[in-house]
């Protein structure tokens, strides 16, 4: 390692659900024209919201603020049945951008409520995702957050319970809560792990950053649950860590006696904000940039067919969701004369080509859908073998490597 260097986490930034949600708003604007109303922030990132506002998106807190009959996009965090009913009553033309992994939790809540179980939802009270799931069965769902909450539950230990979790939580912390529930309740079932693959992968990568660097910076907005959890994970693993919404929030005092800075980004943070932070650090002497060896995600979720191009029948890639700008040769000039190395990095998407030999190391990463297509809830799909649902195209590339979430087809031989 050089004397003052930066290590970029892999993976970092946009997940498949975020790309899908942003792309839905962009395509809705293309198809319907402005204004397109969006209930709540489409994803929890200030930059993305600002950019979409410039293009004609209007963000509202409540569906009642949307003019009767107008186009209304539901955010990636999902909504309750009550919101859907209210939107129908106003005859809104609804486009649902709920992440398929969040939709899965909604479906599980409905099923367990129907079975007569008390549902213990591990999550943050008041978060939009939790509010949406809670609305599926408000009389049967209890929201808990900590092990202390488990001890305080006023339920007999033999109560039939089911455990669901918010998708953006800290994996390790949630496991402790679930284990406390298992120790207490004799009739407990859980459908498995609801924390999404992207949250787990980014948290695992951050553990590596915390181990190898003096300081960890997480790019993300203050209302981004998964970004906040990444900061907590870094601190729990011994590193000084801070949330940085953009480079203007970097405090020079943090860099005192620091020789290496690890950088990651929450699942709703675009790579352009990482680029800005790297450039600012280069101005301060951190001009050597390395790429962490980690998992290259290949999960994509299908876009609504109603947003397809009428001529091609495909949903085209959109600029804000796609953010792809690959550089041939695998080496990018870094800010301040440094360089990004590590095997084919896209500065916008952060996608990484496998190292020579086609092997990329994993930090315990999760990549659902690898090797095939899994039907996803809510009409989405997890793809991992040459299908890009973002672009609507099927890549017949030899090697069987699926395109990046930005919709880029792999080159022959399976190397992106």
């Amino acid at each position: 390692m050089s004397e003052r260097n930066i290590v970029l986490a892999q993976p970092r930034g946009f997940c498949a659900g975020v790309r899908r949600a942003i792309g839905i708003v962009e395509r809705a604007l293309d198809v319907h024209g402005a204004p397109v109303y969006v209930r709540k922030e489409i994803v929890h990132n200030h930059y993305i919201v600002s950019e979409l506002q410039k293009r004609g998106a209007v963000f509202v807190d409540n569906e009642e603020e949307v003019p009767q009959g107008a186009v209304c996009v539901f955010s990636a965090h999902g909504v309750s049945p009550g919101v859907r009913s209210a939107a129908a009553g106003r005859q809104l033309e609804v486009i649902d951008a709920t992440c398929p992994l969040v939709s899965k939790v909604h479906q599980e809540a409905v099923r367990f409520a129907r079975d007569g179980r008390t549902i213990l939802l591990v999550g943050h009270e008041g978060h939009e995702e939790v509010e949406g799931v809670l609305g599926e069965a408000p009389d049967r769902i209890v929201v808990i957050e900590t092990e202390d909450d488990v001890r305080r539950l006023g339920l007999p230990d033999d109560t039939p319970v089911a455990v669901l979790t918010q998708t953006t939580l800290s994996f390790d912390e949630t496991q402790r809560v679930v284990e406390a529930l298992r120790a207490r309740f004799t009739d407990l079932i859980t459908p498995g792990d609801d924390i999404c693959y992207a949250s787990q992968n980014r948290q695992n990568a951050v553990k590596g950053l915390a181990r190898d660097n003096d300081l960890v910076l997480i790019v993300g907005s203050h209302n981004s649950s998964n970004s906040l959890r990444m900061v907590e994970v870094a601190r729990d693993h011994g590193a000084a860590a801070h949330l940085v919404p953009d480079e203007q929030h970097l405090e020079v005092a943090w860099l005192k006696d620091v020789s290496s800075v690890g950088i990651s980004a929450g699942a709703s943070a675009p790579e352009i904000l990482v680029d800005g932070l790297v450039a600012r650090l280069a101005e301060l002497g951190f001009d050597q940039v390395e790429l962490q060896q980690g998992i290259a995600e290949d999960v994509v979720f299908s876009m609504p067919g109603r947003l397809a191009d009428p001529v091609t029948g495909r949903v085209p890639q959109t600029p804000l969701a796609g953010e792809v700008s690959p550089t041939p040769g695998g080496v990018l000039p870094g800010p301040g004369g440094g360089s990004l190395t590590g095997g084919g990095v896209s500065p916008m998407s952060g996608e990484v080509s496998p190292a020579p030999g086609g092997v990329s190391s994993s930090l315990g990463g999760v990549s659902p859908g690898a090797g095939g297509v899994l039907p996803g809830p809510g009409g989405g799909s997890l793809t991992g073998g040459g299908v890009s649902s973002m672009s609507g195209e099927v890549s017949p590339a030899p090697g069987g490597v699926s395109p990046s979430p930005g919709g880029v087809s792999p080159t022959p031989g399976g190397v992106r």
Side-chain angles (χ1 to χ4, degrees), residues 279-355:
R280 175 63 180 134
L281 286 167
E283 293 173 355
L284 298 169
F286 292 81
D287 58 0
Q288 297 299 311
V289 185
E290 302 173 18
L291 184 70
Q292 180 189 55
Q293 288 297 304
I295 189 169
E297 294 170 346
D298 59 5
V299 178
V300 292
F301 293 135
S302 61
M303 294 279 281
R306 62 194 286 192
L307 299 178
D309 184 284
V311 176
T312 66
R314 296 168 177 165
V315 179
Q317 179 179 301
T318 56
L320 195 58
E323 61 162 16
V324 177
S325 179
T327 297
V331 179
L332 303 175
S339 63
L340 300 174
T341 62
V345 190
S346 163
M348 295 301 292
S349 68
E351 290 301 306
V352 182
S353 300

Side-chain angles (χ1 to χ4, degrees), residues 27-180:
R27 279 301 296 160
L29 287 165
D30 291 341
V31 172
H32 299 282
V36 164
Y37 293 85
V38 184
R39 186 185 184 278
K40 305 291 188 181
E41 293 186 358
I42 185 66
V43 297
H44 286 158
N45 185 267
H46 63 288
Y47 177 88
I48 295 299
V49 170
S50 176
E51 288 298 305
L52 290 172
Q53 284 175 326
K54 293 174 187 175
R55 302 177 193 195
V58 177
F59 292 88
V60 298
D61 286 330
N62 192 293
E63 63 282 357
E64 299 295 332
E65 300 175 48
V66 182
Q68 186 129 351
V71 176
C72 180
V73 178
F74 290 157
S75 82
H77 306 103
V79 299
S80 68
V83 170
R84 295 184 186 278
S85 297
R90 296 184 63 77
Q91 298 180 313
L92 302 183
E93 187 170 346
V94 169
I95 305 174
D96 192 0
T98 302
C99 174
L101 298 180
V102 174
S103 295
K104 168 179 168 285
V105 180
H106 279 250
Q107 293 167 4
E108 291 165 347
V110 171
R111 174 163 59 92
F112 289 133
R114 188 185 303 126
D115 291 344
R117 289 185 173 269
T118 296
I119 299 165
L120 304 177
L121 176 59
V122 185
H124 300 300
E125 191 96 43
H127 188 278
E128 289 158 38
E129 180 182 331
V130 170
E131 289 181 344
V133 176
L134 186 60
E136 295 289 355
D139 295 335
R140 302 211 67 86
I141 298 178
V142 179
V143 179
I144 59 173
E145 186 171 344
T146 67
E147 293 170 86
D148 286 340
D149 292 339
V150 174
R151 288 187 282 271
R152 286 194 293 262
L153 282 170
L155 297 171
D157 293 350
D158 61 352
T159 302
V161 299
V163 180
L164 301 177
T165 69
Q166 184 179 331
T167 62
T168 56
L169 299 179
S170 161
F171 180 78
D172 294 337
E173 183 179 327
T174 303
Q175 284 296 101
R176 290 192 289 271
V177 175
V178 172
E179 286 307 312

